[in-house]
Amino acid sequence: MVAETWSKQVQTSSLTFDDQGTELKRRRQRALEQFEQHRFPGRKHEEWRYTPLSRLAAGPCAPLLESSQEIPFCPDLPGDMLAKVVIVNGEFRADLSDLSRLPSAIRVQSLAQLRHSDPDQLASLLDLYWTQDSHPFHDLSDALLDDGVHIEVVEEGAKIDAPIHILHVLDGQARAGSAHVTGLIQLAAGAQLQLVEEIRSVGEVLGNLRWGVGLDPRSILKRVRAFRPECASIYHGTRVVQQQDSRFEDLFCSSGGELIRNELHVSHEGTGCHCDLLGAYAGRGKNHLDHHTTIDHKVEDCTSKEIYRGVLSDQARGVFSGMIHVHPDAQRTDAKQSNDTILLSEGAEADTRPRLEIYADDVKCTHGATIGALDEDAIFYLRSRGVSPDEARKILVRAFTSVVFHGLEDRQLSDFIADEIQQSIDPQGTDHE
Amino acid sequence: MSGKKENSMLEIHGLCASVEGTEILRGIDLEVKAGEVHAIMGPNGSGKSTLANVLAGREEYLVDAGTVQYNGIDLLELSAEERACEGIFLAFQYPVSIPGISNAYFLRSALNAIRRYREESEIDAVDFLELVRSRMDLVGMDEKLLHRSVNDGFSGGEKKRNEILQMAVLDPTLAILDETDSGLDIDALRIVAEGVNKLRKQERAIIVVTHYQRLLDYIVPDQVHVLSEGKIVRSGDKSLALELEKEGYSWLQADDARAGNNA
Ligand SMILES: Nc1ncnc2c1ncn2[C@@H]1O[C@H](COP(=O)(O)OP(=O)(O)OP(=O)(O)O)[C@@H](O)[C@H]1O
Ligand SMILES: [Mg+2]
């Protein structure tokens, strides 16, 4: 029944778009049919086995209304940002964004703008990242493709020093609903860019956010993703295509969320690529934090480092499924992966599945997963210095997650985010019956 | 030295404690007055660290009998963190390492917790750094260690110095130093001991647990106690330590045998 509502809603909504490009039209139509056919897969589907999509299917499918407030809900992130892109309930808001200090090396426009001005280019960009295999969220994004952002560093070798701040606001206060955002990023050869993506939500909301990232040779993209406290249900998916000697550094941070599905797919197409996939997350209550990553090492001499660390209390659940696929030609691949979880309560649960598929013989792949508790000796050590048990646990949580923040140069920002994660845990780990 | 201090800072009577059902302390009596330094010596496994941990409030050790009064309050009623806030400090025999948290962050969290307990305002980053720097000089510690993770990868000696640094910053009323001298080289021993001496004051008492007379050359104790099988079997002045250095603990067996015969 609920899925019925969804597909009706999607049908109706998708009719409101008057696409110009035939390719775009075709894509939309196809996605519509695919969603209609598969909707939200059940637990039997391997990729979705640990993800309670039924919770989403029962959730709000209507488009979100325009947000009434200014930019609400939580204190601003610190740090000097070069520009600000604000996307409210799926709509690029030029009035709230600030692009005035952007150098000419970089172009930022709304996806809606691109959709109108050059639908064929948009369609071919989408083709780069999203094949037309069925995926419930990508299908929804295609079927309801409307707005988002397109960021291009067009000048070769341009180094953009300060980060661009991308703020998603999901406001379901006026009416529960969903928003679908597509972001596209293209870096020219040798270009360097930093992004700080922030997700704030309030009310009953489903956010469906996806990114396609293309990195030309020797370019470097550093991205921080901050899911702010009390996050609603979010799908966040990124497809990265890396050319020779490019570098992608991603830091996922979440201080809890109703249901967060974090998907990353990085593909190394040229030799000498590197990616860092780092994550720190804290879950409480009935939070569900779900990470699915795939690194395709397709060619030789590429490296990857993946560290995800989670702290779960109450009845929170963490899922990590990390695929490292080393193709036959990818000799001398060096891939490291680890997922460590601390459980603060009996009711919390972590499922971790490292998956390695290695078809080359001269490779170094290491992976490890641990699930444990906080060190009681360290808690006593802190207590013997006057620190309360609750604060001691919070300090140890911070210690545990700190490794993923090492690479972040902006100490102010990393301290702020680490604080937010630290403060969001339930130090007693209480099981609410 | 003739004061009118009739009240002891610490009064332990008949203290018995056990861990996992094994009795370890079997009736300890000890009185320590403000301004005094007491040394506790005794063979391995005699219960010295257990006594130190019981005083610091470690819950694995069950107090089966006895009382501990500290500045007129029932110490055994307080949690470990309350004891620390009331001015008790234990320098660990085996300091714990905490990867991921800098020494500075650790110390500041501790200092602020204590200040909040005392209803004082929290110390800001600048004042804190100034305080820590002056204390690091006192114990001859390299400032680099301030920004490293707590005891993580520290050498044995660095860990012990770090304990004394914490003591110097947290400014306790009663400090219990559990084998702070072991693992220190000769120079470090002198520097740490001098640091401790500088921290001696009229309002503070110090209990040093040690195996070596050498430390007591620097930190001259008012009293020396020998702990054996969970009991204080002998107490005396600093000459007792010299005697032990010469004779070891073989006389304990003889005493035991005598006690056995008498029974
Ligand atoms: N947590 C524990 N579990 C089991 N036994 C313990 C525990 N702590 C102490 N003990 C035992 O209690 C006895 C006293 O230990 P304690 O550490 O107090 O000795 P100590 O006098 O400090 O010795 P050392 O000079 O070697 O440091 C030992 O036999 C020890 O094995
Ligand atoms: Mg000991």
Side-chain angles (χ1 to χ4, degrees):
Chain A
M1 270 308 279
V2 276
E4 205 85 330
T5 328
W6 265 96
S7 65
K8 262 206 207 93
Q9 182 70 50
V10 175
Q11 291 280 359
T12 329
S13 302
S14 74
L15 294 177
T16 59
F17 300 102
D18 53 335
D19 295 317
Q20 303 304 318
T22 51
E23 274 309 300
L24 215 51
K25 259 187 208 149
R26 196 185 47 77
R27 190 172 246 282
R28 198 186 290 282
Q29 190 52 41
R30 176 143 174 180
L32 208 57
E33 284 158 15
Q34 275 179 180
F35 185 76
E36 178 60 32
Q37 193 187 337
H38 301 286
R39 295 176 187 164
F40 293 112
R43 299 271 183 144
K44 282 198 216 73
H45 194 293
E46 183 60 21
E47 287 295 308
W48 302 94
R49 208 160 96 201
Y50 296 100
T51 314
L53 285 182
S54 52
R55 277 205 230 162
L56 291 186
C61 51
L64 283 167
L65 300 176
E66 205 168 280
S67 176
S68 48
Q69 272 142 325
E70 297 268 294
I71 313 257
F73 331 134
C74 47
D76 286 333
L77 293 179
D80 264 340
M81 313 278 186
L82 177 68
K84 188 170 188 177
V85 169
V86 181
I87 299 172
V88 180
N89 290 350
E91 185 191 357
F92 182 110
R93 291 282 296 270
D95 56 328
L96 300 174
S97 301
D98 177 8
L99 306 176
S100 59
R101 286 158 61 205
L102 283 180
S104 60
I106 178 167
R107 284 195 210 132
V108 176
Q109 66 175 334
S110 78
L111 203 85
Q113 213 172 326
L114 180 65
R115 193 162 63 80
H116 290 120
S117 64
D118 197 347
D120 290 337
Q121 192 206 346
L122 175 57
S124 61
L125 282 173
L126 295 175
D127 282 343
L128 287 180
Y129 305 112
W130 297 287
T131 58
Q132 299 185 358
D133 291 348
S134 171
H135 181 294
F137 294 99
H138 300 167
D139 286 344
L140 281 172
S141 291
D142 277 335
L144 302 172
L145 186 76
D146 183 8
D147 208 350
V149 63
H150 180 213
I151 299 173
E152 258 183 309
V153 181
V154 289
E155 195 179 295
E156 291 198 359
K159 292 184 176 56
I160 318 291
D161 287 338
I164 296 184
H165 182 195
I166 295 165
L167 172 61
H168 296 279
V169 177
L170 296 161
D171 182 354
Q173 291 177 114
R175 181 179 81 191
S178 62
H180 310 269
V181 180
T182 296
L184 295 166
I185 297 171
Q186 185 68 41
L187 263 58
Q192 298 186 9
L193 182 67
Q194 302 167 49
L195 298 177
V196 175
E197 185 183 5
E198 178 185 357
I199 293 116
R200 299 186 191 183
S201 73
V202 64
E204 206 189 332
V205 162
L206 166 64
N208 175 20
L209 318 175
R210 67 169 177 181
W211 289 94
V213 177
L215 301 180
D216 280 359
R218 301 179 314 285
S219 63
I220 301 176
L221 178 67
K222 297 184 184 184
R223 178 175 75 168
V224 176
R225 292 182 282 156
F227 289 71
R228 304 299 299 279
E230 312 289 332
C231 214
S233 298
I234 309 279
Y235 168 82
H236 192 293
T238 307
R239 283 280 285 121
V240 185
V241 178
Q242 287 188 245
Q243 304 302 337
Q244 193 177 340
D245 295 322
S246 63
R247 195 176 168 92
F248 174 64
E249 294 177 17
D250 184 53
L251 172 56
F252 167 95
C253 310
S254 162
S255 34
E258 194 95 350
L259 191 162
I260 295 178
R261 167 102 174 185
N262 166 35
E263 276 188 27
L264 278 162
H265 185 165
V266 180
S267 175
H268 286 171
E269 309 275 339
T271 59
C273 291
H274 176 79
C275 68
D276 272 347
L277 308 184
L278 306 175
Y281 50 99
R284 58 187 293 171
K286 286 189 180 332
N287 286 179
H288 183 103
L289 305 168
D290 198 324
H291 313 284
H292 284 246
T293 66
T294 302
I295 303 172
D296 263 316
H297 287 284
K298 292 190 176 166
V299 293
E300 53 196 35
D301 296 313
C302 292
T303 54
S304 61
K305 183 176 86 186
E306 186 171 17
I307 305 173
Y308 267 73
R309 291 209 159 175
V311 181
L312 304 171
S313 53
D314 304 325
Q315 297 174 356
R317 182 141 192 212
V319 177
F320 177 87
S321 165
M323 159 77 94
I324 292 178
H325 187 157
V326 181
H327 294 245
D329 289 339
Q331 297 297 358
R332 297 178 301 281
T333 291
D334 187 345
K336 296 186 183 69
Q337 181 192 76
S338 68
N339 172 231
D340 302 294
T341 312
I342 283 185
L343 300 181
L344 294 175
S345 68
E346 292 270 314
E349 194 181 324
D351 297 291
T352 166
R353 288 192 307 157
R355 293 181 298 162
L356 303 184
E357 284 188 19
I358 301 176
Y359 300 101
D361 45 28
D362 182 15
V363 298
K364 260 194 271 175
C365 286
T366 58
H367 68 91
T370 62
I371 297 175
L374 293 176
D375 177 1
E376 287 298 328
D377 286 338
I379 292 176
F380 180 71
Y381 193 42
L382 279 153
R383 290 179 59 203
S384 79
R385 300 298 181 249
V387 176
S388 73
D390 280 3
E391 201 190 336
R393 289 189 193 98
K394 287 187 171 177
I395 289 174
L396 294 180
V397 164
R398 191 190 184 99
F400 173 69
T401 55
S402 71
V403 57
V404 308
F405 293 101
H406 286 332
L408 194 59
E409 283 139 38
D410 185 342
R411 296 314 309 172
Q412 233 194 326
L413 180 65
S414 75
D415 282 349
F416 183 93
I417 297 174
D419 270 346
E420 201 157 81
I421 292 178
Q422 181 184 15
Q423 292 312 324
S424 72
I425 67 149
D426 190 344
Q428 309 269 339
T430 40
D431 285 300
H432 303 297
E433 292 306 297
Chain B
M1 288 296 276
S2 66
K4 51 173 174 50
K5 249 191 275 83
E6 57 283 332
N7 284 336
S8 290
M9 176 186 287
L10 184 70
E11 275 180 56
I12 305 176
H13 290 298
L15 183 66
C16 296
S18 58
V19 60
E20 284 162 16
T22 315
E23 203 183 5
I24 297 170
L25 301 183
R26 302 156 191 248
I28 303 266
D29 294 296
L30 181 65
E31 271 189 42
V32 180
K33 294 194 171 67
E36 288 182 343
V37 172
H38 287 230
I40 296 181
M41 306 182 79
N44 294 131
S46 55
K48 303 181 296 296
S49 295
T50 302
L51 174 60
N53 277 287
V54 166
L55 294 177
R58 192 161 195 140
E59 284 116 354
E60 284 116 275
Y61 300 95
L62 276 183
V63 173
D64 302 315
T67 58
V68 180
Q69 291 282 315
Y70 166 71
N71 281 339
I73 49 178
D74 179 357
L75 190 68
L76 300 177
E77 283 297 306
L78 303 184
S79 65
E81 60 276 15
E82 286 168 332
R83 295 181 199 195
C85 292
E86 290 286 348
I88 290 189
F89 178 89
L90 169 63
F92 283 46
Q93 181 174 4
Y94 304 108
V96 181
S97 49
I98 311 180
I101 283 298
S102 76
N103 237 344
Y105 185 95
F106 177 93
L107 259 179
R108 202 172 150 200
S109 303
L111 186 59
N112 279 333
I114 293 174
R115 289 172 72 117
R116 281 196 301 273
Y117 181 89
R118 296 182 184 158
E119 295 178 350
E120 293 165 10
S121 64
E122 295 194 8
I123 191 164
D124 69 34
V126 178
D127 291 347
F128 173 73
L129 215 59
E130 197 175 312
L131 171 70
V132 175
R133 286 211 175 105
S134 71
R135 300 291 131 164
M136 290 186 100
D137 285 346
L138 197 77
V139 295
M141 201 163 125
D142 191 333
E143 191 172 326
K144 268 185 287 189
L145 293 181
L146 201 53
H147 305 290
R148 291 212 352 224
S149 290
V150 181
N151 294 324
D152 190 28
F154 283 28
S155 75
E158 285 168 342
K159 284 184 187 172
K160 296 303 175 83
R161 277 191 212 206
N162 202 19
E163 293 293 285
I164 301 304
L165 172 69
Q166 292 176 17
M167 169 182 168
V169 171
L170 301 180
D171 195 25
T173 311
L174 172 64
I176 305 158
L177 312 183
D178 192 358
E179 292 197 28
T180 302
D181 53 337
S182 52
L184 292 179
D185 65 41
I186 297 161
D187 291 339
L189 177 68
R190 186 176 39 78
I191 294 165
V192 166
E194 279 168 4
V196 172
N197 275 335
K198 286 184 206 142
L199 294 171
R200 277 180 90 155
K201 56 180 182 182
Q202 200 46 53
E203 313 79 68
R204 173 177 293 147
I206 302 176
I207 298 174
V208 291
V209 173
T210 183
H211 285 294
Y212 305 107
Q213 147 67 20
R214 196 200 311 272
L215 178 74
L216 304 180
D217 283 342
Y218 295 110
I219 308 174
V220 181
D222 297 288
Q223 282 189 51
V224 175
H225 310 278
V226 178
L227 195 63
S228 171
E229 294 179 0
K231 282 190 194 138
I232 290 178
V233 291
R234 267 181 85 180
S235 296
D237 62 14
K238 62 185 182 198
S239 62
L240 176 55
L242 282 167
E243 210 175 299
L244 293 174
E245 181 93 346
K246 266 193 241 116
E247 294 169 17
Y249 295 112
S250 53
W251 52 272
L252 283 173
Q253 268 91 31
D255 278 9
D256 274 359
R258 221 175 301 133
N261 289 341
N262 291 348

